[in-house]
Amino acid sequence: MAAILFLGVPKLQRYAAYRYSVGLADGYGILAENLADGNGYRWRADMAETMLREPGYPLLLAAAFKIAGPSIEAARLLNLLLTVGIAFMLMALARRMTSDPRAPVVAALLFLLHPGTLIAEARGGVEILFIFVGFGFMLALHWAVERGGLWRYLLAGLALGAVVQVRSTPILFPGFLLLYAMFAAAGARQRLAAVCRVAILVVGMVLVMVPWVVRNYRLVHEFVPVATLGGVGLQEG
């Protein structure tokens, strides 16, 4: 897989460039390079700070740039490591859903060998990190629902906050979870417990969002909970 990513993709890039963007995409590389150079969260060193992208991926990519230098290869190496983590989380989630010992391995192989995964790894976009934090949240939520305990829902909320800091599209998920819990509950006591659990989930999500919200408020003196493209993200999601 690494050989395909680092040896095969560069050779095929000129043939696929007209159809797929496999470079540093969507401005994330620009933001990450400015962060790594100490210029702050902005498109160019001479421009004001921006709120156009959620901070999760640019911050992680900036760390990769500091270690390996600002290049598409650094982004691809980061994506490769995240993909391995996704495969392990996918296997863990599959084990929770089925007793078939083949299912986790087949699921991981389907993900790792899927052409879409390879394209997502090859481009310096947000997709692989978004999948990684999404699986982390699903595992945390599955654990909370399975075992109970408000502190587990708080951990799941923190994981959801990390997801929202990468892409804001799942920010309304707690509302849908509450609707499901209310319909699935048997009686007023279970409904009240469901409200408490979802409220704790939201608290965890908000705790992770606070630094970005405070930063945005200090920047423009307005409440901006996600990126300024959040409306587009919600519609697309």
Side-chain angles (χ1 to χ4, degrees):
M1 185 174 174
I4 296 173
L5 186 61
F6 288 101
L7 298 177
V9 168
K11 292 184 179 298
L12 296 173
Q13 187 166 339
R14 60 177 178 171
Y15 300 107
Y18 74 97
R19 193 167 181 183
Y20 299 109
S21 171
V22 290
L24 289 167
D26 304 326
Y28 290 107
I30 297 171
L31 291 170
E33 193 166 349
N34 275 300
L35 283 167
D37 291 341
N39 297 324
Y41 200 82
R42 62 188 83 228
W43 292 106
R44 289 204 316 257
D46 60 342
M47 294 179 68
E49 293 189 25
T50 183
M51 298 177 290
L52 199 59
R53 298 288 184 202
E54 293 89 346
Y57 185 56
L59 289 172
L60 186 60
L61 190 57
F65 282 177
K66 290 289 285 186
I67 296 170
S71 64
I72 185 60
E73 287 76 16
R76 287 172 180 168
L77 178 59
L78 173 62
N79 283 339
L80 179 62
L81 296 174
L82 291 172
T83 300
V84 173
I86 293 168
F88 280 109
M89 287 191 288
L90 181 56
M91 293 174 69
L93 192 62
R95 289 192 191 99
R96 292 172 180 266
M97 295 183 172
T98 177
S99 58
D100 188 339
R102 297 167 297 180
V105 177
V106 171
L109 288 176
L110 284 173
F111 172 74
L112 290 172
L113 301 177
H114 195 282
T117 302
L118 182 62
I119 292 171
E121 285 179 297
R123 71 193 300 268
V126 72
E127 295 83 9
I128 295 295
L129 179 60
F130 187 44
I131 297 169
F132 181 87
V133 293
F135 265 105
F137 168 62
M138 284 191 285
L139 279 172
L141 182 61
H142 196 283
W143 185 44
V145 172
E146 188 179 59
R147 299 289 183 88
L150 293 181
W151 68 274
R152 291 188 178 90
Y153 279 90
L154 179 62
L155 289 178
L158 295 173
L160 179 58
V163 177
V164 171
Q165 292 301 281
V166 174
R167 287 283 288 175
S168 59
T169 48
I171 195 170
L172 298 180
F173 176 82
F176 294 103
L177 178 63
L178 179 60
L179 285 175
Y180 167 77
M182 296 296 280
F183 279 113
R189 180 173 295 181
Q190 287 191 11
R191 290 189 179 92
L192 180 60
V195 170
C196 292
R197 289 166 183 160
V198 174
I200 292 296
L201 185 81
V202 171
V203 168
M205 180 183 73
V206 170
L207 285 175
V208 177
M209 294 173 64
V210 163
W212 178 249
V213 173
V214 170
R215 177 261 185 189
N216 290 344
Y217 186 82
R218 294 179 64 184
L219 188 63
V220 298
H221 304 291
E222 291 185 15
F223 176 69
V224 183
V226 292
T228 45
L229 281 177
V232 176
L234 287 173
Q235 186 270 331
E236 291 295 327

mmCIF file of all heavy atoms in Angstrom, residues 120-164:
data_model
loop_
_atom_site.group_PDB
_atom_site.id
_atom_site.type_symbol
_atom_site.label_atom_id
_atom_site.label_comp_id
_atom_site.label_asym_id
_atom_site.label_seq_id
_atom_site.Cartn_x
_atom_site.Cartn_y
_atom_site.Cartn_z
ATOM 1 N N ALA A 120 -7.875 9.355 -1.601
ATOM 2 C CA ALA A 120 -7.954 10.233 -0.425
ATOM 3 C C ALA A 120 -6.605 10.342 0.274
ATOM 4 O O ALA A 120 -6.234 11.413 0.772
ATOM 5 C CB ALA A 120 -9.005 9.704 0.546
ATOM 6 N N GLU A 121 -5.852 9.242 0.320
ATOM 7 C CA GLU A 121 -4.512 9.280 0.906
ATOM 8 C C GLU A 121 -3.565 10.126 0.063
ATOM 9 O O GLU A 121 -2.694 10.824 0.597
ATOM 10 C CB GLU A 121 -3.935 7.870 0.993
ATOM 11 C CG GLU A 121 -4.514 7.008 2.081
ATOM 12 C CD GLU A 121 -3.891 5.623 2.056
ATOM 13 O OE1 GLU A 121 -4.061 4.908 1.063
ATOM 14 O OE2 GLU A 121 -3.218 5.282 3.043
ATOM 15 N N ALA A 122 -3.719 10.050 -1.252
ATOM 16 C CA ALA A 122 -2.776 10.706 -2.153
ATOM 17 C C ALA A 122 -2.929 12.220 -2.156
ATOM 18 O O ALA A 122 -1.963 12.939 -2.431
ATOM 19 C CB ALA A 122 -2.953 10.163 -3.573
ATOM 20 N N ARG A 123 -4.115 12.715 -1.865
ATOM 21 C CA ARG A 123 -4.324 14.163 -1.890
ATOM 22 C C ARG A 123 -4.158 14.730 -0.481
ATOM 23 O O ARG A 123 -4.404 14.057 0.506
ATOM 24 C CB ARG A 123 -5.700 14.507 -2.470
ATOM 25 C CG ARG A 123 -6.865 14.163 -1.584
ATOM 26 C CD ARG A 123 -8.180 14.240 -2.333
ATOM 27 N NE ARG A 123 -8.448 15.553 -2.874
ATOM 28 C CZ ARG A 123 -9.142 16.499 -2.234
ATOM 29 N NH1 ARG A 123 -9.630 16.246 -1.022
ATOM 30 N NH2 ARG A 123 -9.363 17.661 -2.786
ATOM 31 N N GLY A 124 -3.725 15.963 -0.406
ATOM 32 C CA GLY A 124 -3.536 16.598 0.894
ATOM 33 C C GLY A 124 -4.809 17.232 1.393
ATOM 34 O O GLY A 124 -4.822 18.406 1.786
ATOM 35 N N GLY A 125 -5.893 16.482 1.375
ATOM 36 C CA GLY A 125 -7.176 16.973 1.844
ATOM 37 C C GLY A 125 -7.519 16.427 3.209
ATOM 38 O O GLY A 125 -6.750 15.714 3.848
ATOM 39 N N VAL A 126 -8.741 16.714 3.631
ATOM 40 C CA VAL A 126 -9.155 16.434 5.003
ATOM 41 C C VAL A 126 -9.793 15.065 5.168
ATOM 42 O O VAL A 126 -10.066 14.632 6.286
ATOM 43 C CB VAL A 126 -10.144 17.542 5.451
ATOM 44 C CG1 VAL A 126 -11.484 17.378 4.740
ATOM 45 C CG2 VAL A 126 -10.326 17.558 6.960
ATOM 46 N N GLU A 127 -10.016 14.323 4.084
ATOM 47 C CA GLU A 127 -10.872 13.140 4.121
ATOM 48 C C GLU A 127 -10.385 12.065 5.086
ATOM 49 O O GLU A 127 -11.168 11.529 5.882
ATOM 50 C CB GLU A 127 -11.008 12.537 2.716
ATOM 51 C CG GLU A 127 -11.720 13.425 1.716
ATOM 52 C CD GLU A 127 -10.821 14.456 1.084
ATOM 53 O OE1 GLU A 127 -9.584 14.390 1.275
ATOM 54 O OE2 GLU A 127 -11.354 15.338 0.384
ATOM 55 N N ILE A 128 -9.097 11.723 5.033
ATOM 56 C CA ILE A 128 -8.594 10.621 5.862
ATOM 57 C C ILE A 128 -8.688 10.973 7.344
ATOM 58 O O ILE A 128 -9.111 10.144 8.168
ATOM 59 C CB ILE A 128 -7.152 10.266 5.470
ATOM 60 C CG1 ILE A 128 -7.113 9.711 4.039
ATOM 61 C CG2 ILE A 128 -6.560 9.255 6.440
ATOM 62 C CD1 ILE A 128 -7.834 8.389 3.866
ATOM 63 N N LEU A 129 -8.313 12.175 7.715
ATOM 64 C CA LEU A 129 -8.433 12.578 9.120
ATOM 65 C C LEU A 129 -9.888 12.587 9.563
ATOM 66 O O LEU A 129 -10.214 12.190 10.692
ATOM 67 C CB LEU A 129 -7.801 13.949 9.343
ATOM 68 C CG LEU A 129 -7.883 14.472 10.781
ATOM 69 C CD1 LEU A 129 -7.176 13.537 11.756
ATOM 70 C CD2 LEU A 129 -7.314 15.889 10.881
ATOM 71 N N PHE A 130 -10.777 13.027 8.676
ATOM 72 C CA PHE A 130 -12.207 13.055 9.010
ATOM 73 C C PHE A 130 -12.725 11.647 9.278
ATOM 74 O O PHE A 130 -13.483 11.407 10.220
ATOM 75 C CB PHE A 130 -12.973 13.713 7.862
ATOM 76 C CG PHE A 130 -14.428 13.962 8.159
ATOM 77 C CD1 PHE A 130 -14.832 14.481 9.372
ATOM 78 C CD2 PHE A 130 -15.391 13.693 7.197
ATOM 79 C CE1 PHE A 130 -16.174 14.716 9.640
ATOM 80 C CE2 PHE A 130 -16.728 13.927 7.446
ATOM 81 C CZ PHE A 130 -17.124 14.435 8.676
ATOM 82 N N ILE A 131 -12.299 10.677 8.451
ATOM 83 C CA ILE A 131 -12.689 9.283 8.675
ATOM 84 C C ILE A 131 -12.110 8.790 9.997
ATOM 85 O O ILE A 131 -12.783 8.095 10.772
ATOM 86 C CB ILE A 131 -12.225 8.392 7.512
ATOM 87 C CG1 ILE A 131 -12.903 8.817 6.204
ATOM 88 C CG2 ILE A 131 -12.521 6.925 7.790
ATOM 89 C CD1 ILE A 131 -12.318 8.160 4.965
ATOM 90 N N PHE A 132 -10.854 9.141 10.274
ATOM 91 C CA PHE A 132 -10.177 8.691 11.497
ATOM 92 C C PHE A 132 -10.917 9.163 12.746
ATOM 93 O O PHE A 132 -11.250 8.361 13.625
ATOM 94 C CB PHE A 132 -8.737 9.214 11.492
ATOM 95 C CG PHE A 132 -7.927 8.796 12.686
ATOM 96 C CD1 PHE A 132 -7.248 7.590 12.696
ATOM 97 C CD2 PHE A 132 -7.831 9.620 13.803
ATOM 98 C CE1 PHE A 132 -6.498 7.202 13.800
ATOM 99 C CE2 PHE A 132 -7.093 9.247 14.904
ATOM 100 C CZ PHE A 132 -6.420 8.027 14.902
ATOM 101 N N VAL A 133 -11.182 10.461 12.841
ATOM 102 C CA VAL A 133 -11.863 10.973 14.035
ATOM 103 C C VAL A 133 -13.321 10.505 14.079
ATOM 104 O O VAL A 133 -13.894 10.316 15.154
ATOM 105 C CB VAL A 133 -11.773 12.512 14.112
ATOM 106 C CG1 VAL A 133 -10.341 12.962 14.339
ATOM 107 C CG2 VAL A 133 -12.345 13.186 12.864
ATOM 108 N N GLY A 134 -13.924 10.297 12.888
ATOM 109 C CA GLY A 134 -15.288 9.777 12.850
ATOM 110 C C GLY A 134 -15.384 8.385 13.433
ATOM 111 O O GLY A 134 -16.298 8.078 14.204
ATOM 112 N N PHE A 135 -14.433 7.523 13.094
ATOM 113 C CA PHE A 135 -14.415 6.177 13.655
ATOM 114 C C PHE A 135 -14.120 6.215 15.153
ATOM 115 O O PHE A 135 -14.663 5.424 15.922
ATOM 116 C CB PHE A 135 -13.387 5.306 12.934
ATOM 117 C CG PHE A 135 -13.980 4.493 11.818
ATOM 118 C CD1 PHE A 135 -13.781 4.852 10.496
ATOM 119 C CD2 PHE A 135 -14.744 3.379 12.088
ATOM 120 C CE1 PHE A 135 -14.329 4.118 9.463
ATOM 121 C CE2 PHE A 135 -15.300 2.633 11.059
ATOM 122 C CZ PHE A 135 -15.091 2.995 9.743
ATOM 123 N N GLY A 136 -13.243 7.128 15.568
ATOM 124 C CA GLY A 136 -12.978 7.272 16.993
ATOM 125 C C GLY A 136 -14.237 7.631 17.758
ATOM 126 O O GLY A 136 -14.512 7.083 18.838
ATOM 127 N N PHE A 137 -15.031 8.540 17.187
ATOM 128 C CA PHE A 137 -16.293 8.905 17.828
ATOM 129 C C PHE A 137 -17.278 7.740 17.849
ATOM 130 O O PHE A 137 -17.937 7.494 18.863
ATOM 131 C CB PHE A 137 -16.918 10.103 17.114
ATOM 132 C CG PHE A 137 -18.339 10.363 17.509
ATOM 133 C CD1 PHE A 137 -18.672 10.675 18.811
ATOM 134 C CD2 PHE A 137 -19.365 10.272 16.565
ATOM 135 C CE1 PHE A 137 -19.999 10.901 19.192
ATOM 136 C CE2 PHE A 137 -20.678 10.484 16.925
ATOM 137 C CZ PHE A 137 -20.995 10.801 18.246
ATOM 138 N N MET A 138 -17.379 7.012 16.734
ATOM 139 C CA MET A 138 -18.315 5.890 16.700
ATOM 140 C C MET A 138 -17.959 4.826 17.727
ATOM 141 O O MET A 138 -18.842 4.270 18.396
ATOM 142 C CB MET A 138 -18.358 5.289 15.297
ATOM 143 C CG MET A 138 -19.148 6.117 14.306
ATOM 144 S SD MET A 138 -19.454 5.243 12.747
ATOM 145 C CE MET A 138 -17.844 5.358 11.991
ATOM 146 N N LEU A 139 -16.673 4.546 17.892
ATOM 147 C CA LEU A 139 -16.247 3.583 18.903
ATOM 148 C C LEU A 139 -16.567 4.082 20.307
ATOM 149 O O LEU A 139 -17.051 3.321 21.156
ATOM 150 C CB LEU A 139 -14.748 3.318 18.777
ATOM 151 C CG LEU A 139 -14.317 2.330 17.697
ATOM 152 C CD1 LEU A 139 -12.799 2.322 17.574
ATOM 153 C CD2 LEU A 139 -14.822 0.924 18.015
ATOM 154 N N ALA A 140 -16.293 5.364 20.557
ATOM 155 C CA ALA A 140 -16.574 5.932 21.877
ATOM 156 C C ALA A 140 -18.071 5.922 22.175
ATOM 157 O O ALA A 140 -18.498 5.599 23.293
ATOM 158 C CB ALA A 140 -16.020 7.354 21.963
ATOM 159 N N LEU A 141 -18.892 6.268 21.173
ATOM 160 C CA LEU A 141 -20.340 6.278 21.380
ATOM 161 C C LEU A 141 -20.875 4.860 21.571
ATOM 162 O O LEU A 141 -21.735 4.619 22.423
ATOM 163 C CB LEU A 141 -21.021 6.952 20.198
ATOM 164 C CG LEU A 141 -22.548 7.082 20.295
ATOM 165 C CD1 LEU A 141 -22.937 7.932 21.500
ATOM 166 C CD2 LEU A 141 -23.138 7.677 19.018
ATOM 167 N N HIS A 142 -20.368 3.915 20.793
ATOM 168 C CA HIS A 142 -20.785 2.521 20.935
ATOM 169 C C HIS A 142 -20.467 2.017 22.339
ATOM 170 O O HIS A 142 -21.276 1.327 22.973
ATOM 171 C CB HIS A 142 -20.086 1.663 19.885
ATOM 172 C CG HIS A 142 -20.709 0.320 19.685
ATOM 173 N ND1 HIS A 142 -20.520 -0.724 20.576
ATOM 174 C CD2 HIS A 142 -21.522 -0.168 18.719
ATOM 175 C CE1 HIS A 142 -21.171 -1.792 20.158
ATOM 176 N NE2 HIS A 142 -21.794 -1.475 19.028
ATOM 177 N N TRP A 143 -19.302 2.367 22.831
ATOM 178 C CA TRP A 143 -18.878 1.990 24.183
ATOM 179 C C TRP A 143 -19.802 2.613 25.223
ATOM 180 O O TRP A 143 -20.207 1.951 26.190
ATOM 181 C CB TRP A 143 -17.433 2.441 24.373
ATOM 182 C CG TRP A 143 -16.810 2.029 25.680
ATOM 183 C CD1 TRP A 143 -16.885 0.803 26.284
ATOM 184 C CD2 TRP A 143 -15.994 2.842 26.526
ATOM 185 N NE1 TRP A 143 -16.164 0.810 27.448
ATOM 186 C CE2 TRP A 143 -15.607 2.043 27.621
ATOM 187 C CE3 TRP A 143 -15.550 4.154 26.459
ATOM 188 C CZ2 TRP A 143 -14.795 2.530 28.651
ATOM 189 C CZ3 TRP A 143 -14.741 4.642 27.478
ATOM 190 C CH2 TRP A 143 -14.373 3.845 28.549
ATOM 191 N N ALA A 144 -20.159 3.892 25.036
ATOM 192 C CA ALA A 144 -21.031 4.573 25.990
ATOM 193 C C ALA A 144 -22.422 3.949 26.007
ATOM 194 O O ALA A 144 -23.007 3.722 27.076
ATOM 195 C CB ALA A 144 -21.115 6.055 25.642
ATOM 196 N N VAL A 145 -22.983 3.665 24.831
ATOM 197 C CA VAL A 145 -24.320 3.074 24.757
ATOM 198 C C VAL A 145 -24.308 1.663 25.330
ATOM 199 O O VAL A 145 -25.250 1.250 26.017
ATOM 200 C CB VAL A 145 -24.816 3.063 23.295
ATOM 201 C CG1 VAL A 145 -26.109 2.273 23.163
ATOM 202 C CG2 VAL A 145 -25.011 4.492 22.795
ATOM 203 N N GLU A 146 -23.237 0.926 25.096
ATOM 204 C CA GLU A 146 -23.142 -0.472 25.537
ATOM 205 C C GLU A 146 -22.948 -0.577 27.042
ATOM 206 O O GLU A 146 -23.572 -1.414 27.710
ATOM 207 C CB GLU A 146 -21.966 -1.140 24.816
ATOM 208 C CG GLU A 146 -21.851 -2.628 25.024
ATOM 209 C CD GLU A 146 -20.675 -3.197 24.254
ATOM 210 O OE1 GLU A 146 -19.525 -2.758 24.511
ATOM 211 O OE2 GLU A 146 -20.892 -4.046 23.376
ATOM 212 N N ARG A 147 -22.088 0.283 27.606
ATOM 213 C CA ARG A 147 -21.733 0.172 29.022
ATOM 214 C C ARG A 147 -22.492 1.147 29.917
ATOM 215 O O ARG A 147 -22.587 0.911 31.127
ATOM 216 C CB ARG A 147 -20.231 0.411 29.186
ATOM 217 C CG ARG A 147 -19.337 -0.571 28.448
ATOM 218 C CD ARG A 147 -19.377 -1.950 29.088
ATOM 219 N NE ARG A 147 -18.472 -2.860 28.413
ATOM 220 C CZ ARG A 147 -17.189 -3.014 28.730
ATOM 221 N NH1 ARG A 147 -16.658 -2.281 29.695
ATOM 222 N NH2 ARG A 147 -16.434 -3.877 28.071
ATOM 223 N N GLY A 148 -22.990 2.238 29.352
ATOM 224 C CA GLY A 148 -23.643 3.247 30.173
ATOM 225 C C GLY A 148 -22.608 4.086 30.923
ATOM 226 O O GLY A 148 -21.398 3.933 30.756
ATOM 227 N N GLY A 149 -23.095 4.971 31.779
ATOM 228 C CA GLY A 149 -22.202 5.839 32.538
ATOM 229 C C GLY A 149 -22.048 7.192 31.868
ATOM 230 O O GLY A 149 -21.657 7.267 30.703
ATOM 231 N N LEU A 150 -22.349 8.252 32.612
ATOM 232 C CA LEU A 150 -22.311 9.586 32.022
ATOM 233 C C LEU A 150 -20.899 9.979 31.592
ATOM 234 O O LEU A 150 -20.731 10.701 30.608
ATOM 235 C CB LEU A 150 -22.861 10.605 33.024
ATOM 236 C CG LEU A 150 -24.359 10.477 33.362
ATOM 237 C CD1 LEU A 150 -24.775 11.557 34.341
ATOM 238 C CD2 LEU A 150 -25.201 10.552 32.094
ATOM 239 N N TRP A 151 -19.873 9.491 32.304
ATOM 240 C CA TRP A 151 -18.509 9.873 31.939
ATOM 241 C C TRP A 151 -18.124 9.303 30.583
ATOM 242 O O TRP A 151 -17.335 9.917 29.859
ATOM 243 C CB TRP A 151 -17.528 9.442 33.027
ATOM 244 C CG TRP A 151 -17.345 7.958 33.165
ATOM 245 C CD1 TRP A 151 -18.097 7.097 33.909
ATOM 246 C CD2 TRP A 151 -16.339 7.162 32.531
ATOM 247 N NE1 TRP A 151 -17.635 5.813 33.790
ATOM 248 C CE2 TRP A 151 -16.552 5.816 32.966
ATOM 249 C CE3 TRP A 151 -15.283 7.430 31.672
ATOM 250 C CZ2 TRP A 151 -15.739 4.768 32.529
ATOM 251 C CZ3 TRP A 151 -14.475 6.388 31.246
ATOM 252 C CH2 TRP A 151 -14.698 5.083 31.671
ATOM 253 N N ARG A 152 -18.698 8.145 30.219
ATOM 254 C CA ARG A 152 -18.435 7.596 28.890
ATOM 255 C C ARG A 152 -19.082 8.461 27.808
ATOM 256 O O ARG A 152 -18.524 8.638 26.720
ATOM 257 C CB ARG A 152 -18.924 6.158 28.800
ATOM 258 C CG ARG A 152 -18.120 5.176 29.638
ATOM 259 C CD ARG A 152 -18.528 3.735 29.356
ATOM 260 N NE ARG A 152 -17.732 2.791 30.112
ATOM 261 C CZ ARG A 152 -18.024 2.331 31.318
ATOM 262 N NH1 ARG A 152 -19.140 2.749 31.919
ATOM 263 N NH2 ARG A 152 -17.241 1.481 31.943
ATOM 264 N N TYR A 153 -20.264 9.005 28.105
ATOM 265 C CA TYR A 153 -20.900 9.920 27.151
ATOM 266 C C TYR A 153 -20.110 11.223 27.037
ATOM 267 O O TYR A 153 -20.058 11.838 25.967
ATOM 268 C CB TYR A 153 -22.344 10.197 27.555
ATOM 269 C CG TYR A 153 -23.290 9.105 27.143
ATOM 270 C CD1 TYR A 153 -23.548 8.032 27.983
ATOM 271 C CD2 TYR A 153 -23.901 9.112 25.894
ATOM 272 C CE1 TYR A 153 -24.409 7.002 27.599
ATOM 273 C CE2 TYR A 153 -24.758 8.100 25.498
ATOM 274 C CZ TYR A 153 -25.004 7.051 26.356
ATOM 275 O OH TYR A 153 -25.843 6.029 25.966
ATOM 276 N N LEU A 154 -19.483 11.631 28.151
ATOM 277 C CA LEU A 154 -18.627 12.814 28.082
ATOM 278 C C LEU A 154 -17.431 12.566 27.176
ATOM 279 O O LEU A 154 -17.074 13.417 26.350
ATOM 280 C CB LEU A 154 -18.153 13.203 29.485
ATOM 281 C CG LEU A 154 -17.226 14.424 29.561
ATOM 282 C CD1 LEU A 154 -17.937 15.673 29.052
ATOM 283 C CD2 LEU A 154 -16.728 14.633 30.982
ATOM 284 N N LEU A 155 -16.813 11.381 27.291
ATOM 285 C CA LEU A 155 -15.699 11.037 26.409
ATOM 286 C C LEU A 155 -16.149 10.989 24.946
ATOM 287 O O LEU A 155 -15.436 11.452 24.049
ATOM 288 C CB LEU A 155 -15.109 9.684 26.820
ATOM 289 C CG LEU A 155 -14.329 9.643 28.133
ATOM 290 C CD1 LEU A 155 -13.850 8.226 28.415
ATOM 291 C CD2 LEU A 155 -13.147 10.608 28.102
ATOM 292 N N ALA A 156 -17.337 10.427 24.709
ATOM 293 C CA ALA A 156 -17.869 10.398 23.347
ATOM 294 C C ALA A 156 -18.104 11.815 22.834
ATOM 295 O O ALA A 156 -17.869 12.114 21.657
ATOM 296 C CB ALA A 156 -19.159 9.588 23.305
ATOM 297 N N GLY A 157 -18.558 12.699 23.718
ATOM 298 C CA GLY A 157 -18.752 14.095 23.325
ATOM 299 C C GLY A 157 -17.442 14.778 22.981
ATOM 300 O O GLY A 157 -17.373 15.564 22.024
ATOM 301 N N LEU A 158 -16.385 14.483 23.748
ATOM 302 C CA LEU A 158 -15.071 15.035 23.426
ATOM 303 C C LEU A 158 -14.614 14.543 22.050
ATOM 304 O O LEU A 158 -14.033 15.306 21.266
ATOM 305 C CB LEU A 158 -14.054 14.629 24.499
ATOM 306 C CG LEU A 158 -14.290 15.201 25.906
ATOM 307 C CD1 LEU A 158 -13.310 14.584 26.896
ATOM 308 C CD2 LEU A 158 -14.172 16.717 25.921
ATOM 309 N N ALA A 159 -14.884 13.249 21.775
ATOM 310 C CA ALA A 159 -14.534 12.700 20.458
ATOM 311 C C ALA A 159 -15.340 13.379 19.358
ATOM 312 O O ALA A 159 -14.807 13.683 18.280
ATOM 313 C CB ALA A 159 -14.768 11.194 20.443
ATOM 314 N N LEU A 160 -16.619 13.648 19.604
ATOM 315 C CA LEU A 160 -17.433 14.347 18.609
ATOM 316 C C LEU A 160 -16.928 15.768 18.406
ATOM 317 O O LEU A 160 -16.936 16.287 17.276
ATOM 318 C CB LEU A 160 -18.902 14.364 19.045
ATOM 319 C CG LEU A 160 -19.871 15.089 18.104
ATOM 320 C CD1 LEU A 160 -19.843 14.488 16.707
ATOM 321 C CD2 LEU A 160 -21.296 15.043 18.674
ATOM 322 N N GLY A 161 -16.465 16.407 19.481
ATOM 323 C CA GLY A 161 -15.885 17.739 19.349
ATOM 324 C C GLY A 161 -14.677 17.733 18.436
ATOM 325 O O GLY A 161 -14.482 18.654 17.628
ATOM 326 N N ALA A 162 -13.855 16.671 18.534
ATOM 327 C CA ALA A 162 -12.700 16.548 17.644
ATOM 328 C C ALA A 162 -13.153 16.398 16.193
ATOM 329 O O ALA A 162 -12.546 16.968 15.278
ATOM 330 C CB ALA A 162 -11.849 15.354 18.064
ATOM 331 N N VAL A 163 -14.236 15.653 15.972
ATOM 332 C CA VAL A 163 -14.774 15.499 14.621
ATOM 333 C C VAL A 163 -15.208 16.850 14.067
ATOM 334 O O VAL A 163 -14.886 17.210 12.931
ATOM 335 C CB VAL A 163 -15.962 14.510 14.616
ATOM 336 C CG1 VAL A 163 -16.556 14.416 13.217
ATOM 337 C CG2 VAL A 163 -15.532 13.129 15.091
ATOM 338 N N VAL A 164 -15.932 17.606 14.872
ATOM 339 C CA VAL A 164 -16.455 18.895 14.426
ATOM 340 C C VAL A 164 -15.321 19.883 14.130
ATOM 341 O O VAL A 164 -15.459 20.750 13.258
ATOM 342 C CB VAL A 164 -17.420 19.457 15.492
ATOM 343 C CG1 VAL A 164 -17.821 20.896 15.181
ATOM 344 C CG2 VAL A 164 -18.667 18.585 15.582
#
